[in-house]
Amino acid sequence: MEETSIMEDGEQNREMEVAPALIAVHPTQESVAVAVGSDLRVFDLKTGGPVHLVDDTAEPFHRDSIRAVRYGAKGKLLVTAGDDKLVKIWHTDPWSCICTVLSEKRVSAVAISNDGLFTCFADKFGVVWAVDLDGFHDNQSSASKKAVPILAHYCSIITSLEFSPDGRFVISADRDFKIRVTVFPKKTSDGAHEIQSFCLGHSEFVSRIAFVGASDYPDGFLVSGSGDSTVSDHAIGCTNCFLPLFFPLGYVGVLDYRMDL
């Protein structure tokens, strides 16, 4: 009886768990996507009204807490994912879900390449998966679309993912203080085995990474926020590059000053 009671309490706590609110802004500020728990809403900033989301690929929207919301491909795509193990890729004009992929584990982070050909997502076991979106920009069915594993952080939870602006690298940050820069493979089924560099220097978990533009860095440079109360920038082309900015921001949970280059 006691064991049953403990199990029931755990299940109730799991049902009551709600993810923090997430907000993603379109690169040209045409719309904003908001996720609270499993509820996803998109607002058109030009008309000031809600967007009607169409999802014919699977059961509508998400059934559990959404953990990641990201615009990509210069605002043409939006990806959402979370605890229901569903990764949904939305076309933003017109608004419709063009692809739904089932993850083996809960999803912690997502990213979309600037050319819109690939999306990556990380699961709770530290594995990064890639989905080839070529041919899925015309609202086609996702029945045969599968994700393939390309790299892993070996049981360290990945907190943030980014593609480099030129698509050459996929950058992954985790709770073990490190940022890994990996060459994105020409063929995803072969996996991503070539590591360009590690961006080290943080003494606590890395909470967020993002690319920003600068005149001295035409391809952008990487900025990271951490639980060690610092925001740092990194030059992706070198090894172990770490340029601390030392912003006393406490736990930097949201770092979203990115530019779609």
Side-chain angles (χ1 to χ4, degrees):
M1 291 292 293
E2 183 178 355
E3 182 178 352
T4 302
S5 176
I6 293 175
M7 183 180 300
E8 289 176 351
D9 290 342
E11 290 176 352
Q12 289 176 358
N13 291 337
R14 174 67 188 91
E15 291 176 357
M16 294 172 60
E17 180 183 350
V18 178
L22 301 175
I23 298 177
V25 180
H26 190 279
T28 59
Q29 300 183 359
E30 295 181 10
S31 61
V32 58
V34 180
V36 180
S38 62
D39 188 18
L40 173 66
R41 298 186 183 184
V42 179
F43 298 91
D44 190 323
L45 297 180
K46 295 183 294 184
T47 65
V51 170
H52 177 62
L53 299 175
V54 178
D55 185 2
D56 297 326
T57 64
E59 295 184 23
F61 307 158
H62 289 274
R63 301 187 298 270
D64 206 338
S65 293
I66 298 171
R67 300 290 180 175
V69 179
R70 290 288 304 276
Y71 282 93
K74 302 186 185 300
K76 296 178 182 178
L77 299 175
L78 175 78
V79 60
T80 60
D83 288 347
D84 60 0
K85 305 177 184 178
L86 294 180
V87 179
K88 290 180 173 288
I89 296 94
W90 305 80
H91 200 286
T92 61
D93 187 21
W95 277 95
S96 60
C97 183
I98 61 173
C99 181
T100 297
V101 178
L102 179 61
S103 170
E104 293 185 2
K105 307 293 182 182
R106 296 177 189 173
V107 178
S108 60
V110 295
I112 308 176
S113 61
N114 275 350
D115 57 15
L117 295 180
F118 295 96
T119 186
C120 283
F121 64 88
D123 65 28
K124 290 292 187 179
F125 274 49
V127 180
V128 176
W129 302 73
V131 182
D132 185 351
L133 299 179
D134 190 21
F136 275 73
H137 290 241
D138 298 321
N139 300 338
Q140 299 179 28
S141 170
S142 63
S144 61
K145 187 56 63 176
K146 301 255 185 209
V148 295
I150 58 173
L151 62 93
H153 278 225
Y154 303 105
C155 295
S156 179
I157 295 178
I158 294 176
T159 56
S160 189
L161 279 176
E162 282 285 349
F163 276 94
S164 62
D166 58 11
R168 293 174 55 206
F169 307 108
V170 59
I171 299 91
S172 47
D174 64 25
R175 295 189 65 178
D176 290 333
F177 323 156
K178 65 180 180 295
I179 300 169
R180 172 176 166 177
V181 182
T182 307
V183 177
F184 193 75
K186 294 182 179 179
K187 189 177 180 181
T188 55
S189 59
D190 292 338
H193 305 293
E194 183 179 350
I195 299 175
Q196 167 72 12
S197 60
F198 284 95
C199 299
L200 306 176
H202 283 301
S203 59
E204 292 289 344
F205 62 88
V206 181
S207 55
R208 191 72 173 87
I209 55 176
F211 273 95
V212 297
S215 57
D216 295 336
Y217 296 90
D219 292 329
F221 63 91
L222 189 71
V223 178
S224 62
S226 169
D228 61 11
S229 303
T230 65
V231 175
S232 304
D233 61 339
H234 312 268
I236 295 302
C238 62
T239 303
N240 294 343
C241 290
F242 177 79
L243 309 174
L245 301 181
F246 295 112
F247 290 170
L249 298 181
Y251 289 103
V252 184
V254 178
L255 180 63
D256 205 12
Y257 301 106
R258 74 170 68 85
M259 293 181 63
D260 226 343
L261 300 179

